[in-house]
Amino acid sequence: MKDPDHGEKPSESGASAAGRSYGSKLGPRNGKGKRKRRKSSASPSAIASQSGSAGVAGRPAGENEAEPARKRKRRRRSKSAKQQAVVASAPQGSNAQLVEPSLGERKGHKRSKKARHRRGLQGRPLTSGERQPTQQRAADGGNARSGSSASNGQTAAQQRSGQRGEQPRSPYVAASEPPAPLYAALDLGTNNCRLLIAQPTRPGQFRVVDAFSRIVRLGEGLGASGRLSDEAMERAVEALKICASKLGARAIRRSRLIATEAARAAENGESFLERVARETGLDLEIINRETEARLAVSGCSSLVDRETRSVVLFDIGGGSSEIAVIRIGDSRSNRLANHITHWTSLPVGVVTLSERHGGQHVTPASFEAMVNEVEGMLARFDSPPVEALANGASGSGFHLIGTSGTVTTLAGVHLDLPRYDRRRVDGLWLTDDEVSAMQARLLSWDFNARAANPCIGPDRADLVLAGCAILEAIRRRWPSTRMRVADRGLREGLLTDMMADDGAWRRSRPRRHQRGANAGSQEGNKA
């Protein structure tokens, strides 16, 4: 049997050559020639010549005939005494405490040629302590492999290679290889301010380097006054200052900073962005609703099932909700946004809907009123019926994808997470019955119970049921047996488009560079 560290492992029978060489290091042999063997049957003349008198063949004729046997016993006792002396004199924890004589030493078996010349399996002289017993290796916990001498457990091959240990090699990174570029995306929405800094990795994927998210409620009171309030703008500016410091601390190759429905619908939206540029140095652009819908689709391209032929993707925001009908067919493009056939942007979100119907105390009647309002908006959207989207009667080729705080909250409550965990939520499949059960569960809670849930919190407790009403209207328009949850949105879409436009995934980036230079970074979202 082969021992991975020391060649052949000595067996209990001692029949292998390794076992014999292993025992030869205890001390010199008695005599230089072959060991004399005791003959089982001796002639009477031979016995008589030894004892001086005749006797029976095979038995000692007198008392002196037992002398060879006594000499052998004395030699064995002397060897045993020498071994005990070696063990007693050895330092504590050394290998000499566990060394036992081989069968060749105990029973006088004939040694092999290699053992007689004290050579190992590789033809090199054996050194004291080169083999380490199994018990000692287990007690050392594997530290013997990292030692610098043979007494610490190195093999002869390690000695010949310059005392090399078995430490893992650091990945080679060429000095001329450029570092991976950084891209940044900022989304200032009606309810949140989000920043994402990432670098491309494998095709279609990127690694998150830094992220920031804060609830600012920029659209608070916008539905009633048509303007952004001073308090809301102040909260947004403070959050954007943090984003500016994060962006200034890194060498960003390309960035895109956008503002959505709140800045788009407010009368003072343009003046607010001018203030942001003066106080933070960030130039934000207001995107239209079509661009917002395409970005939402681009960020979720990896969540479309391979067997899927059509998808309805929706993004429930704070001030608007974007819906896109995607029909893939037989030819699938690298950009999912190229397969959009119909899209719409509803002028309603969780903030505006909760302000109109109340978000703290929601009854089944008020919840149904919110659903009916959204259904009226969807009725004006000209899109193919669900029968044309589904593949056959089972509808296996069609499903929903939801990307919003509402959908991720439902997933977290469904999983009973003690704390929200994006890794468990992003990409989760929910059946139609599970979504209905979660909506009914949230509707049965009062405001305090929703605020106490770790996946909701007090900041979203008055908004989550308004989002559920928008989701229910979408599910009634496009019934589906399953829905996939996406904890991603416009930022991921911005990063995906920028990296694709720059050809960041077409360049052959060595995998060693990615593992070595960025080993401490966390693998991020899949585009």
Side-chain angles (χ1 to χ4, degrees), residues 3-48:
D3 187 293
D5 296 330
H6 308 291
E8 289 188 12
K9 182 177 180 180
S11 61
E12 293 182 359
S13 63
S16 64
R20 291 192 292 272
S21 64
Y22 182 57
S24 65
K25 64 186 177 182
L26 294 176
R29 294 190 310 275
N30 292 322
K32 297 182 179 179
K34 296 183 178 180
R35 187 185 303 275
K36 293 181 179 181
R37 297 187 181 181
R38 180 183 178 183
K39 296 182 179 180
S40 59
S41 62
S43 62
S45 60
I47 299 176

Side-chain angles (χ1 to χ4, degrees), residues 12 51 59 71 126 176 234 248 299 333 335-336 381 383 466:
E12 293 182 359
S51 60
R59 294 185 181 181
K71 287 183 179 180
L126 296 173
S176 61
E234 188 66 29
S333 173
R335 295 193 180 188
L336 188 63
F381 176 42
S383 69

Side-chain angles (χ1 to χ4, degrees), residues 56 171 174 219 292 305 387-388 457:
V56 181
E292 189 172 355
D305 200 10
E387 292 79 9

Side-chain angles (χ1 to χ4, degrees), residues 71 125 153 182 234 280 446 451 456:
K71 287 183 179 180
L182 294 178
E234 188 66 29
T280 66
D446 58 6
I456 301 176

